[in-house]
Amino acid sequence: MPNGAIAVSGRTIILEKDLREEFIRASGPGGQNVNKVSTAVQLWFDLSSSQTLSAPVKERAAKLAGSRLTQSGEILIQADRFRTRERNRQDAVERLLDLLRRALVQPKTRRPTRPTLGSKKRRLDTKKKRGATKKMRSGPVGD
C-alpha cells in the first residue's frame, strides 16, 4: 500500500490527500470541557476528484451519502460521539470507510421471471375450490 493511503477493502484504497478535517466544538458529553475544546471533527472526502475510485463506485457512494454530499462533490462526515479528538477522528474515518465499502458492492441486476405452468395451474385450482366452497355456503334463496 502506498504511503498516505487508507485501505478501504481488498485492492481499493483512498488517498489521504483527498481527506480534509476540521475540528469544531462538540455538543453532547464533555462537561465544562465541551465549551472550551474543539473535539468534534468534520471530515471532508473529495469524492469527485478521487482518482482511486471508479465512476460506478463514485455514483453509488454519492447516492449512499445522500444529504452528506456537498454541491462541490465532497462527502462531509461529522463525528462528535466521543470526548477526544482522536476517537472522533477514528470514528469519522471508520464511518467514511463503511460508506465506501457499501458503495463497492455492485447491486445484482434483476432479471424478470415468469410463473411456471405448474404454479399457474395450482393457483387456478385453489381459486376454483375457494369459489366452490363459497357457492355451497349460500343456501336456497327465498322462503
Side-chain angles (χ1 to χ4, degrees):
M1 185 164 46
N3 228 1
I6 300 170
V8 178
S9 71
R11 298 178 302 191
T12 309
I13 60 168
I14 58 172
L15 302 175
E16 282 188 16
K17 69 174 185 149
D18 291 336
L19 295 176
R20 177 171 53 97
E21 59 188 30
E22 214 174 281
F23 291 99
I24 57 173
R25 277 196 237 138
S27 61
Q32 293 176 356
N33 202 38
V34 80
N35 299 323
K36 295 186 280 185
V37 183
S38 299
T39 55
V41 66
Q42 286 184 331
L43 183 71
W44 303 79
F45 173 63
D46 198 353
L47 182 67
S48 60
S49 68
S50 174
Q51 296 171 355
T52 57
L53 301 176
S54 65
V57 172
K58 285 182 184 181
E59 261 182 52
R60 289 193 293 268
K63 191 178 278 189
L64 284 170
S67 63
R68 292 176 290 187
L69 186 71
T70 64
Q71 288 182 345
S72 60
E74 292 180 313
I75 295 176
L76 168 64
I77 294 182
Q78 184 165 332
D80 59 359
R81 252 185 251 178
F82 302 103
R83 292 183 181 209
T84 64
R85 276 185 172 194
E86 193 51 41
R87 291 279 308 271
N88 282 329
R89 187 178 181 282
Q90 288 171 357
D91 182 41
V93 169
E94 197 51 49
R95 283 168 41 199
L96 173 68
L97 293 178
D98 180 53
L99 185 140
L100 293 176
R101 283 182 194 117
R102 286 185 288 144
L104 285 171
V105 178
Q106 188 172 5
K108 291 182 181 175
T109 54
R110 186 194 179 282
R111 292 189 179 89
T113 59
R114 289 191 166 161
T116 62
L117 186 62
S119 67
K120 285 181 186 177
K121 285 183 179 177
R122 283 190 298 274
R123 184 180 65 86
L124 292 175
D125 286 345
T126 55
K127 282 171 72 88
K128 283 179 186 171
K129 285 179 187 172
R130 186 84 177 131
T133 305
K134 287 183 175 186
K135 195 165 197 113
M136 285 178 43
R137 284 185 192 151
S138 63
V141 181
D143 259 350

